């Protein structure tokens, strides 16, 4: 009998990063208070019905329930409040995403000007519609950050 060995289903996605960013007329700290809350993305993503957290800090899990019934579970990989950046990985979803890694960062552009950047690398379950999938992911991130701009503008 073969001895069992450590294994995992979590693998980093391959592909080109999809990047969305928004510049807001507020301080970087104020912008980070909105986009830097792993548990608070429902503040700028209206499609989210509810977010529940398991644990806190790096390693915690975020379960996002969408109004349309879809579910996404993500793990917080890194978080640095001082540097204003975090990364996470999708570990389960009903959206047709095979693998997804994302990062959110905020940088100061001046006293009352800041930029949030959301970087996503993702692979679809259906490799035959990669272009449509990338369009969906890009549109989702762009719309969310446009909501951030409206909230803080």
């Amino acid at each position: 009998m073969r001895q069992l060995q450590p294994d995992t289903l979590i693998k980093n996605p391959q592909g080109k990063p999809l990047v969305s960013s928004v510049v807001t007329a507020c301080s970087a700290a104020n912008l980070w208070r909105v986009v830097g809350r792993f548990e608070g993305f429902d503040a700028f993503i209206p499609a989210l019905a509810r977010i529940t957290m398991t644990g806190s800090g790096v390693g915690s899990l975020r379960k996002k329930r969408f109004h349309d019934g879809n579910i996404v579970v993500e793990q917080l990989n890194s978080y640095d409040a001082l540097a204003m950046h975090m990364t996470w990985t999708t570990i389960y979803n009903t959206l047709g995403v095979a693998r997804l890694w994302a990062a959110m960062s905020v940088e100061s552009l001046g006293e009352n000007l800041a930029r949030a950047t959301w970087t996503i690398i993702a692979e679809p379950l259906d490799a035959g519609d990669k272009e449509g999938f990338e369009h969906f992911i890009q549109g989702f991130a762009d719309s969310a950050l446009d909501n951030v701009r409206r909230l803080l503008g």
Side-chain angles (χ1 to χ4, degrees):
M1 184 165 112
R2 187 179 77 119
Q3 187 174 17
L4 296 176
Q5 297 293 315
D7 58 0
T8 183
L9 295 175
I10 299 172
K11 294 178 175 60
N12 285 322
Q14 303 298 310
K16 72 175 185 177
L18 302 173
V19 179
S20 183
S21 72
V22 66
V23 174
T24 60
C26 70
S27 70
N30 283 343
L31 181 53
W32 182 248
R33 277 193 271 285
V34 175
V35 300
R37 293 182 54 240
F38 188 61
E39 71 284 358
F41 276 38
D42 54 341
F44 57 93
I45 301 175
L48 285 171
R50 184 173 68 232
I51 294 175
T52 54
M53 294 295 297
T54 302
S56 63
V58 172
S60 64
L61 298 178
R62 167 173 75 181
K63 184 175 188 178
K64 300 186 302 190
R65 293 180 188 270
F66 289 82
H67 290 291
D68 67 5
N70 279 299
I71 296 171
V72 176
V73 178
E74 298 163 321
Q75 181 177 41
L76 184 62
N77 298 329
S78 68
Y79 186 90
D80 188 328
L82 291 175
M84 293 185 284
H85 61 75
M86 66 177 159
T87 64
W88 63 93
T89 301
T90 297
I91 57 176
Y92 174 81
N93 72 90
T94 58
L95 293 171
V97 178
R99 283 177 276 290
L100 183 143
W101 172 91
M104 182 71 77
S105 63
V106 170
E107 63 182 307
S108 176
L109 301 176
E111 188 175 329
N112 282 307
L113 202 61
R115 176 185 295 123
T117 303
W118 192 352
T119 304
I120 300 169
I121 302 174
E123 295 177 22
L125 274 177
D126 177 7
D129 188 26
K130 190 166 174 73
E131 186 176 318
F133 176 78
E134 288 176 354
H135 182 73
F136 165 75
I137 297 290
Q138 186 72 58
F140 182 84
D142 289 348
S143 175
L145 289 187
D146 191 49
N147 288 335
V148 169
R149 183 186 50 74
R150 277 190 246 127
L151 278 171
L152 297 173

